[in-house]
Amino acid sequence: MPAPADTAAARAGTAAARAGTAAARAEAAPAADTELVRNGGFEVGLDGWTCSAGSGAAVDAPVRTGTRALRATPAGGDHARCAQTVAVRPDAAYTLSGWVRGGLAYLGASGTGTTDVSTWTPSAPDWQKLTTTFRTGPATRSVTLYTHGWYGTAAYHADDLSLTGPSGDPVQLPAAPAGLAAGTPTSSSVPLTWQPSAGATGYTVYRDGARALTVTGTSATVTGLAAATSYAFQVTATNSAGESPRSPAVTARTADGGTGPGPALPAHALVGYLHASFANGSGYTRMADVPDSWDVVNLAFGEPTAVTSGDIRFRLCPRTECPNVETEDEFKAAIRAKQAAGKKVLISIGGQNGQVRLATAAARDAFVASVAKIIDEYGLDGLDIDFEGHSLSLDTGDTDFRNPTTPVIVHLVSALRTLKARYGADFVLTMAPETFFVQLGYQYYGSGPWGGQDPRAGAYLPVIHALRDDLTLLHVQHYNSGPIMGLDDQYHSMGGADFHIALTDMLLTGFPVARDPGRFFPALRPEQVAIGLPASPNAGNGHTPSAEVNKALDCLTKGTGCGTYRTHGTWPGLRGLMTWSVNWDRFNGGEFSRNFDAYRWN
């Protein structure tokens, strides 16, 4: 029988051994599974989530549980991808699940360190659960969870997204970005750059304390600013843990506004096309009979002898078509009288039937020579480019509007620069593209990075951008257009104020071309922009009643009566309106021009 002391020691040793065994078991046991997704039910909006190209939104219906769910809308080549990065443990098992409905929807995880996983459904009329599992790699400490749809399909909804498994070390909040600096401002925009913050997945830019925009890179251009005005900017870094403190502020002052290139125009101008070379149902209007309301008169049209010749010709409407046409001398005398009254008269090239493709240097040179001959013969003030149809398109692989390579684009830019240089600062240069060639560029540009898109999409953008310092007026045709997506990622249709507000806001704010934030089309100055409208229901699809025209002007220039669309600024310097046409307005009793004359700009 052992001594009492020995028995106590033995008991102590046994207890210690048991404790060691328990500790070893605890260390070997896997961590308890926990819910790792932040805001998986979208009850606090998109907090914790980043959606590509602004494609996602938290909506009140339909929802599976709670009060909100995700709605994400594919557009163009964007699949509406919404993602969140979460902390995980190495070499651990996880279950990813979520509920979806609507269009085609994927649920997946990337960066697992083993095999990335996804599951999907082609459509779900009602809520459908998607589930998949994965195991992390031996060095994996974070994974990215995502949902996405597919281009050309309907919006999808997602709710109650979940990732269960052992939690990893929490994601650290990034530090405030350092090195915030302002580049050279324009009269309406300020470019900003900063240094990257470790662990950041995005950045938020603040203007005078208010959120201005969010980006994923380390640069941004804040647009829609007032001329000759100082602004203070700050930036924060964000990731799944939240938002960093704000950086020290940087102050920048926008450039002074001006009347812009070309001769001075009225602060608010009315531009109209005059059917000078052809007849239609509106009747022929002699130049001397053009009402004084019109500040810029575009002679429609100069047309090429052949599509690729570059040789542009203009002649008055034949008397057989227009019995009341004036003589050449009377026409020229009427032009001089308009100019003496302060009006500008331009030759407009193209139109619906005048396709022009400057595919060669010879065509470019012929264009310059023939257009100059028309301007000199009639003593005109400048040139309007109204290329439609297939005049402008982008070659496959030409994807950067800032550096175009397509010959018809490069030669047109060169030709217009040559004409501008020939006639000097008083030369008026205007453009009248269709929405397909400009605002559609927010979604699509040319044939796209993989081909297959219409190569004309956004094809005016490189021309406008290259000539923005020489451009007097851009008046996009807000008619004969399909629905166009605005910067709110909603489609807008012709005929009401909303269409004109959204599409004009795009030009005065700027936008990422084909949704690529690295290829941002900068805003134009408000004095360079007019809104193109049909003068009457007979003039073209998309006629807008006068009350709706005024509502659009009120919103854009005064910030009142904007409806559901929120503009990115207010532009009292908006130049005015363009219409097709002087003839159709006279046919309609002058309603369009009378409304313009009566409108109170301030």
Side-chain angles (χ1 to χ4, degrees):
M1 169 170 218
D6 293 336
T7 301
R11 289 174 178 168
T14 301
R18 288 173 177 167
T21 301
R25 287 175 179 168
E27 184 175 348
D33 287 352
T34 57
E35 176 57 65
L36 303 179
V37 175
R38 173 182 168 188
N39 187 30
F42 302 93
E43 297 301 306
V44 286
L46 296 181
D47 183 43
W49 297 91
T50 300
C51 296
S52 60
S55 56
V59 297
D60 299 331
V63 299
R64 179 179 174 270
T65 63
T67 60
R68 309 196 83 183
L70 170 69
R71 182 180 190 273
T73 307
D78 179 66
H79 300 333
R81 185 178 190 269
C82 295
Q84 178 178 141
T85 300
V86 300
V88 294
R89 285 183 182 272
D91 195 23
Y94 293 88
T95 298
L96 173 64
S97 65
W99 294 78
V100 297
R101 65 176 288 168
L104 184 150
Y106 277 79
L107 175 67
S110 61
T112 63
T114 54
T115 301
D116 290 349
V117 296
S118 67
T119 180
W120 66 288
T121 178
S123 65
D126 202 352
W127 290 107
Q128 177 177 331
K129 189 175 185 179
L130 300 177
T131 303
T132 186
T133 61
F134 62 89
R135 192 170 191 88
T136 54
T140 302
R141 296 193 176 276
S142 68
V143 297
T144 298
L145 317 176
Y146 64 84
T147 63
H148 71 70
W150 199 253
Y151 69 91
T153 62
Y156 69 91
H157 294 80
D159 202 358
D160 298 329
L161 302 185
S162 170
L163 180 70
T164 56
S167 61
D169 295 331
V171 177
Q172 298 298 312
L173 195 69
L180 178 62
T184 302
T186 69
S187 60
S188 61
S189 65
V190 174
L192 300 169
T193 59
W194 56 89
Q195 297 173 8
S197 293
T201 57
Y203 299 90
T204 301
V205 178
Y206 290 84
R207 183 191 73 195
D208 290 340
R211 184 188 297 261
L213 71 163
T214 58
V215 295
T216 57
T218 55
S219 65
T221 299
V222 181
T223 60
L225 308 178
T229 304
S230 292
Y231 294 91
F233 300 98
Q234 294 171 286
V235 63
T236 62
T238 58
N239 63 15
S240 60
E243 185 175 12
S244 76
R246 298 184 187 184
S247 69
V250 167
T251 300
R253 180 180 174 83
T254 52
D256 292 341
T259 58
L265 295 175
H268 303 293
L270 182 62
V271 181
Y273 286 80
L274 181 68
H275 309 177
S277 65
F278 63 94
N280 64 13
S282 64
Y284 184 81
T285 296
R286 295 163 62 103
M287 172 61 73
D289 295 332
V290 173
D292 290 339
S293 297
W294 304 95
D295 300 297
V296 180
V297 179
N298 293 333
L299 306 178
F301 287 105
E303 298 181 1
T305 55
V307 170
T308 59
S309 70
D311 184 11
I312 306 301
R313 304 296 176 88
F314 171 77
R315 63 171 188 164
L316 289 176
C317 183
R319 191 169 295 278
T320 53
E321 296 179 34
C322 305
N324 61 324
V325 64
E326 64 267 65
T327 66
E328 287 277 341
D329 287 343
E330 290 171 334
F331 185 71
K332 293 174 182 177
I335 290 173
R336 292 194 295 271
K338 289 293 179 188
Q339 292 167 330
K343 312 301 181 181
K344 306 299 178 185
V345 184
L346 317 181
I347 180 65
S348 180
I349 307 298
Q352 180 177 341
N353 299 322
Q355 184 172 329
V356 181
R357 288 185 64 84
L358 305 183
T360 65
R364 174 200 64 198
D365 295 344
F367 181 89
V368 171
S370 58
V371 170
K373 182 178 179 181
I374 296 170
I375 291 172
D376 293 343
E377 179 178 355
Y378 291 93
L380 304 178
D381 297 288
L383 169 65
D384 172 69
I385 298 297
D386 186 12
F387 285 12
E388 300 180 15
H390 291 269
S391 292
L392 293 182
S393 60
L394 294 157
D395 289 350
T396 300
D398 189 350
T399 59
D400 187 351
F401 75 93
R402 301 163 300 185
N403 299 288
T405 58
T406 304
V408 295
I409 302 292
V410 173
H411 292 321
L412 177 60
V413 170
S414 175
L416 297 179
R417 283 176 171 163
T418 299
L419 287 165
K420 173 69 176 180
R422 174 171 180 156
Y423 291 102
D426 288 340
F427 187 72
V428 180
L429 176 62
T430 67
M431 298 181 191
E434 297 166 288
T435 59
F436 192 94
F437 295 90
V438 183
Q439 286 95 338
L440 186 67
Y442 174 54
Q443 291 180 270
Y444 310 102
Y445 186 69
S447 58
W450 304 284
Q453 296 175 185
D454 192 319
R456 298 173 297 165
Y460 250 93
L461 294 175
V463 181
I464 298 167
H465 184 66
L467 294 159
R468 62 174 56 241
D469 291 337
D470 298 314
L471 183 63
T472 310
L473 275 177
L474 176 71
H475 30 63
V476 176
Q477 301 176 29
H478 288 192
Y479 44 93
N480 299 331
S481 169
I484 297 291
M485 180 175 285
L487 296 181
D488 58 351
D489 288 338
Q490 302 297 313
Y491 284 97
H492 302 270
S493 299
M494 297 185 300
D498 175 78
F499 187 70
H500 310 301
I501 294 167
L503 269 63
T504 305
D505 181 61
M506 295 179 75
L507 299 179
L508 297 175
T509 301
F511 54 88
V513 175
R515 296 180 175 271
D516 183 347
R519 294 178 176 176
F520 192 88
F521 180 79
L524 293 169
R525 302 189 309 275
E527 65 270 16
Q528 288 180 292
V529 176
I531 303 172
L533 300 154
S536 72
N538 309 86
N541 294 324
H543 174 256
T544 304
S546 294
E548 290 293 301
V549 174
N550 294 346
K551 187 185 297 183
L553 292 176
D554 286 345
C555 174
L556 293 164
T557 65
K558 305 170 187 175
T560 61
C562 293
T564 58
Y565 185 90
R566 295 183 61 185
T567 64
H568 293 76
T570 302
W571 302 277
L574 181 72
R575 182 63 78 178
L577 302 180
M578 173 275 279
T579 193
W580 180 262
S581 61
V582 173
N583 304 60
W584 280 116
D585 186 48
R586 292 194 77 201
F587 182 85
N588 198 45
E591 178 184 347
F592 189 91
S593 54
R594 287 202 315 274
N595 184 67
F596 179 87
D597 290 341
Y599 182 75
R600 295 181 177 273
W601 291 88
N602 47 43

